[in-house]
Every structure is written in C-alpha cells, then in structure tokens.
Amino acid sequence: MSQTSDEGLLLALLNTTPTVEGVRVDRLADPEGARAWVREHTGGDIQEDVALLRATRDTLKALVDGEAEPTALAPALDGVSYRAAIGDTGIDWELAAPAEHALAARAAVAWDALRHSAPGRVRRCGNTEECSLFLIDHSKSNSARWCSMAGCGNRMKARRHYERRKRTRSEP
C-alpha cells in the first residue's frame, strides 16, 4: 500500500463518527456497518478486529487532539513489521501486519508518517459546533480549516459574512 492511500485510510478511519443532522453517528458501532466499512477499505472480506479498529480510531483522535501519547497505539502495532520486497527496480518496504488488525496498523503507521513529515497537518474541522470530521491539510501554507470547502467552509464563511453585515448595520 502506498503512503497516500494509507493517509486516505487514516482520514477515513478518523471520520467514521460523522455528525449527521446534529447527531454523531458511529459507522463502526454495529457489526454490519463495520463489516461494510472494512470491505470498502480492503476491497475484500477480511476479518478485521473491529473492537481494536474502534480503539485505534479513538486513540488516533486523542493523539491528534494532544490528549494521548504514541505508546497508546501499541495494541494496533502488535506483530507489525516491515519486510523487504525486492524487484527489478530495487527494494520496496511493505508493511506486514496480522490480518485481524491490518487496517488499524496501517492507519497508525500513516499517522506516524504524517507526524514526522507534516506535523500538525492532521486536525479537526474548524466547524466544531456542527462537524466532527478531521482533515489532512495538504495546502502549501498549512491554512486549511475545514473538512470541506463546499460544506463546512461555505457555511462558516457565510456565517461570518452575515455577522459582519449585522454588526455594520447596528453601528451608528
């Protein structure tokens, strides 16, 4: 798996608890929903330990928020290593993880890679009142604030514009 796809997996895992119509939903809470999510992110029907996946997600959220230490990821990394894959173009390093927690391991490794290569780029959406999603900021200036410009970004900008207009109208 490439680092970019694992960044996508990390973000997808962090975002398994979206706020829908004002209510937080957990896509990994019920067995059928969890199996569907795992299938969507593996392309197959593997036996991922969903309890460990949820715990890893919660730990990753706490790490992003500065409320946990990296050692809290130890269960997701149990039995994980890298193995060399030698090909015509050289050596590639592949993550080797037990099948029952491959997704949890890949998400943990992706978080750590981002922590080193792009510190502070994984964060919560700036629309904290209505949104519970995360983003990975790939902007040059590290200034992205919303999970989506079309959704939260548009709502927040419209809200600020409305507040500015309301203030200018009330000033004498």
Side-chain angles (χ1 to χ4, degrees):
M1 285 285 143
S2 73
Q3 184 175 349
T4 303
S5 68
D6 284 349
E7 283 181 15
L9 171 67
L10 168 63
L11 190 59
L13 181 59
L14 288 170
N15 289 337
T16 56
T17 56
T19 300
V20 179
E21 296 178 10
V23 177
R24 183 145 322 160
V25 176
D26 187 345
R27 293 190 62 203
L28 301 178
D30 71 277
E32 188 54 40
R35 277 193 298 278
W37 191 91
V38 168
R39 251 189 325 275
E40 180 183 333
H41 291 89
T42 62
D45 199 16
I46 66 165
Q47 298 302 313
E48 185 78 14
D49 180 344
V50 175
L52 178 62
L53 190 60
R54 279 193 306 267
T56 301
R57 172 200 60 202
D58 296 343
T59 299
L60 288 166
K61 286 180 176 189
L63 285 162
V64 170
D65 292 339
E67 299 169 352
E69 296 297 322
T71 54
L73 287 172
L77 298 172
D78 186 36
V80 173
S81 63
Y82 277 98
R83 81 173 147 241
I86 302 170
D88 293 339
T89 59
I91 301 172
D92 286 322
W93 291 94
E94 296 175 347
L95 188 68
E100 66 274 3
H101 65 264
L103 291 177
R106 286 176 46 208
V109 169
W111 168 81
D112 189 59
L114 281 167
R115 180 177 69 93
H116 288 290
S117 67
R121 299 266 178 159
V122 180
R123 57 180 162 264
R124 287 187 181 272
C125 177
N127 184 6
T128 56
E129 292 178 22
E130 300 169 326
C131 185
S132 56
L133 299 181
F134 287 75
L135 65 120
I136 298 174
D137 185 355
H138 289 289
S139 71
K140 189 173 183 177
S141 62
N142 192 22
S143 61
R145 296 189 288 186
W146 302 291
C147 62
S148 157
M149 261 318 286
C152 288
N154 188 41
R155 278 191 296 275
M156 296 300 288
K157 286 183 172 193
R159 195 172 293 145
R160 281 200 318 263
H161 175 74
Y162 173 77
E163 290 299 320
R164 273 194 310 271
R165 286 187 51 108
K166 191 166 109 176
R167 249 183 283 130
T168 57
R169 286 183 183 156
S170 66
E171 292 175 358

